[in-house]
Amino acid sequence: MVKSSKKSKKNETPLRNAKEEKLFKNLLRITEQFMSGKSFLPLTQLELMERLTLPEQHLSIFEAVLQELVNSNSIECMQGRYAWKPSNQDIVRGTIKMHPRGFGFLQAENPSRFPQDIFIPKHLTKNAVDGDVVEVLINQEAISEKGPEGKVIAILSRSRTHMAGIIRQIDRHGLFVAHVPLLGTQQRVVVEPTDEHTLRIGDRIVMEVTNWGSKETETTCRFSHYLGHISDPSCDIYAAIEEYELRSDFPSRVIEEAQLLGKQVSRKDIQEREDLRHLTTFTIDPDTAKDFDDALSLTKDKRGVYHLGVHIADVSHYVRPGTALDDEARIRCNSTYFPGMCIPMLPGALSESLCSLKAGVNRLTVSVLIRLDSEGTLIDHRITRSVIKSTKRFTYKEAKKVLDGEKTSSHLPTLNLMVDLCRLLKRKRYERGSIEFSLPELVVLVDEKGAPYQTDYITYDITHQMVEEFMLKANEIVAWHLAEKGKNLTYRIHDLPAEENLRDFAQLAAAFGFRVSDNPTPQELQKLFEEAADSPYANQLATSYIRRMRLAAYSAENIGHYGLSLTYYCHFTSPIRRYVDLVVHRILFGETDDFDYLQQVANTCSEQERISAKGESSVIILKKLRLLNQMHTQDPYREYEAIVTRVKNFGLYFEIIDLLLEGFLHISELGEDYFVYEEEKMRLRGTKHGSFYAPGDRLTVMLKEVDFIFLESKWYAVSTIHADKQPTVPNKGKKNFRKKTGADRAKKRTGQAIKSKRKNNF
């Protein structure tokens, strides 16, 4: 709100006539409006006059205006710069969480006052970094359905003292300039030279911050230690560990505690449990998985009742509160999965041995025993601490071959029964409005040195679907079970999407040729994705929709799960790799359900989940770029098929189909035409030749170069195929292009892949 100013007689500049009095009032009003705007940053008197385009002859009157605003306590002058002085009621203190695109969100220290996160635009973050404690001025005029907006006015404490970066330039003064992903591409970071290591462009280093600077001034650092060169793929993961402050090594005390637990289940532990070793149970996991945290059993009686058993590793039996194991797991919150490598939440002695549900050995479990009728409707359930002995370790591929008749197995009848029950549960989920995305997963395969050599698609086939459905059902039952008992727990929540995001998606769907209302119902969306399933745009539509949904998170407050259309839902089935699941196990058997403690756990785990996802994504993108660069080296004229995903007034974004890698073409690279942006149709249209670019268009592109430092690729557009037009050649002036066929796909796909986190990660 703009504050009114009362004329102060003290230090008041006398005005000679009515004309000057009128000018004074006008300048006072204009200056107030300008300085109280949400994007205003402190300026000197001369800078203010330049920004307000005031002539030099108004200098004396403008000095009086500034003095009046100072006297009325509307503004303050510090070190020669004038800044708007906000009301204390508009200032909120909290922790800022930064998005890779440069904007941020403030989590208020007092959530009762601001339960929603406060959005901080990119230009108003004041050089804050992820995790900083800051003060934010709320912009009372920018409240939307997204929540309040604000700007950082003070950084109270920094979250870190060191940062990882890459030397990107040696400037004309001989200064070493680094790119620090944490600070973004616009912030200049200067590294002091050191005798310890001769710096060169491409060096990946860790730096100690000596001066954070601001948006207008540079950040200065001193060299701490060397990680490797950007050309070396073996240090990609270690650089990400430093950049995102992930814990990779276990303290010796944690390892000792894990080893003291032994390698086998004791007789005493078995005697205290329900013995379910008579059940036929087996695990179904990816090829490279080692941490088997769930096993399944299923039978069907003569009355047509399904008896489903979901058996989860009883990590809570081994990892007790107050131990070093628990303290470390609570800090890590989750396992982090990189190509060819996993940073586990628990030491290997537990995650890959004593807790892992390996075939042929006794293992302690928490079993959810579920009875469902012939339509898949829940009859009843029972939760018990148990012991099982898995009879088989299936991979997804192996289970699929058995179902397809390509391989024989005594477990075929059970697998067929699982397929039947899966379809019933999928139908139930569909009826309540849940939307399923059967998107394939692209895995980057790397060698022992971390160099990528190939990609592999993991298809979300029926084997993945049936495991997913059974895990979802177990999670739902456990959440409902605890809520019915009046217990607090860490819910997995998913809020309704913002209406403007749904409108934006509806507009995008229309650009792809599909129609839904501006605020589509779950049923409308289900129909849309069914219609799009056989189109070339299925993946792009699904991805675009997911991007516009709010992120799922953990909370001790239950608001339901929009994506699954469930009132009660939690994470229970992966305690080897998620701390919240371990906490839910403890609550099931009488341990603490203190609300404040659970909310703290939920907040910490939600945040760490986000950090791990960012770290994983950065490494995967870098591996894809390395693979792309290898292809380019082998064939500089290779052409790539792509699909336009987003169109803006400055250019278009597309996805390389073979690598699921995003690229960008600036409007100046789209051919010899003048393009205008048609917002309603979300497309660029050429005014001279009538050519256009819209979401869903197929592109043929050719690589210019790869920038490993900034994780970018630069492209030429070769041709475009529109829905109702013949191919166009936007860069026909380039004579050195030649058409070549796609990459050889005949090589056998082998190597290291990561364990898919497909299990109930909603």
Side-chain angles (χ1 to χ4, degrees), residues 370-373 376-381 428 473 477 480:
I370 308 165
R371 292 200 309 147
L372 305 111
D373 66 19
T377 303
L378 179 66
I379 299 173
D380 56 34
H381 75 276
K428 289 283 185 183
K473 180 54 69 175
I477 286 173
W480 179 85

Side-chain angles (χ1 to χ4, degrees), residues 252-469:
S252 57
R253 187 181 170 195
V254 174
I255 295 174
E256 289 170 6
E257 281 189 2
Q259 291 173 342
L260 287 172
L261 292 170
K263 298 181 179 180
Q264 297 178 343
V265 175
S266 69
R267 288 186 179 181
K268 180 184 176 183
D269 289 338
I270 291 175
Q271 291 170 354
E272 295 172 349
R273 293 173 172 262
E274 183 170 353
D275 194 339
L276 299 179
R277 287 178 290 181
H278 63 282
L279 294 178
T280 299
T281 60
F282 49 77
T283 60
I284 309 178
D285 287 277
D287 295 358
T288 56
K290 297 178 181 178
D291 50 348
F292 311 133
D293 45 21
D294 56 85
L296 298 167
S297 62
L298 182 63
T299 59
K300 187 177 183 181
D301 63 27
K302 295 179 180 179
R303 297 173 296 167
V305 174
Y306 292 94
H307 297 259
L308 172 65
V310 179
H311 313 277
I312 307 302
D314 191 357
V315 177
S316 64
H317 175 82
Y318 299 106
V319 181
R320 302 295 178 90
T323 61
L325 272 169
D326 185 59
D327 292 343
E328 184 69 17
R330 185 176 175 184
I331 293 171
R332 294 187 177 220
C333 294
N334 53 257
S335 298
T336 304
Y337 295 87
F338 294 111
M341 178 180 173
C342 168
I343 301 177
M345 184 180 78
L346 300 172
L350 290 180
S351 61
E352 297 180 11
S353 183
L354 189 57
C355 290
S356 187
L357 305 184
K358 295 181 175 182
V361 293
N362 296 326
R363 285 294 181 258
L364 304 184
T365 51
V366 177
S367 296
V368 183
L369 304 174
I370 308 165
R371 292 200 309 147
L372 305 111
D373 66 19
S374 58
E375 298 298 316
T377 303
L378 179 66
I379 299 173
D380 56 34
H381 75 276
R382 188 164 62 87
I383 302 173
T384 183
R385 275 187 146 150
S386 57
V387 57
I388 68 164
K389 182 183 284 188
S390 174
T391 56
K392 171 70 178 174
R393 181 271 204 258
F394 272 114
T395 66
Y396 285 111
K397 293 177 181 177
E398 184 183 6
K400 185 66 165 62
K401 286 181 179 179
V402 172
L403 286 169
D404 291 344
E406 298 176 14
K407 186 173 183 178
T408 60
S409 171
S410 60
H411 298 297
L412 176 59
T414 304
L415 288 171
N416 281 327
L417 205 57
M418 288 182 174
V419 172
D420 293 341
L421 181 57
C422 168
R423 287 172 176 157
L424 291 174
L425 294 177
K426 282 167 63 72
R427 188 177 69 188
K428 289 283 185 183
R429 187 146 64 96
Y430 182 89
E431 288 171 353
R432 67 174 186 255
S434 177
I435 301 168
E436 180 185 19
F437 301 104
S438 300
L439 299 177
E441 180 183 359
L442 184 74
V443 174
V444 180
L445 306 177
V446 299
D447 62 22
E448 65 279 358
K449 294 182 179 179
Y453 61 89
Q454 205 165 314
T455 60
D456 191 15
Y457 271 102
I458 297 177
T459 305
Y460 188 73
D461 60 34
I462 190 62
T463 60
H464 291 80
Q465 294 171 36
M466 65 192 191
V467 173
E468 192 78 68
E469 290 299 329

Side-chain angles (χ1 to χ4, degrees), residues 529-541:
F529 290 115
E530 284 174 3
E531 292 175 351
D534 296 326
S535 76
Y537 314 126
N539 280 8
Q540 282 69 34
L541 278 171

Side-chain angles (χ1 to χ4, degrees), residues 542-560:
T543 302
S544 298
Y545 177 70
I546 292 169
R547 283 176 177 170
R548 287 164 173 81
M549 295 174 73
R550 301 186 196 275
L551 291 175
Y554 300 108
S555 176
E557 290 277 5
N558 184 30
I559 64 169

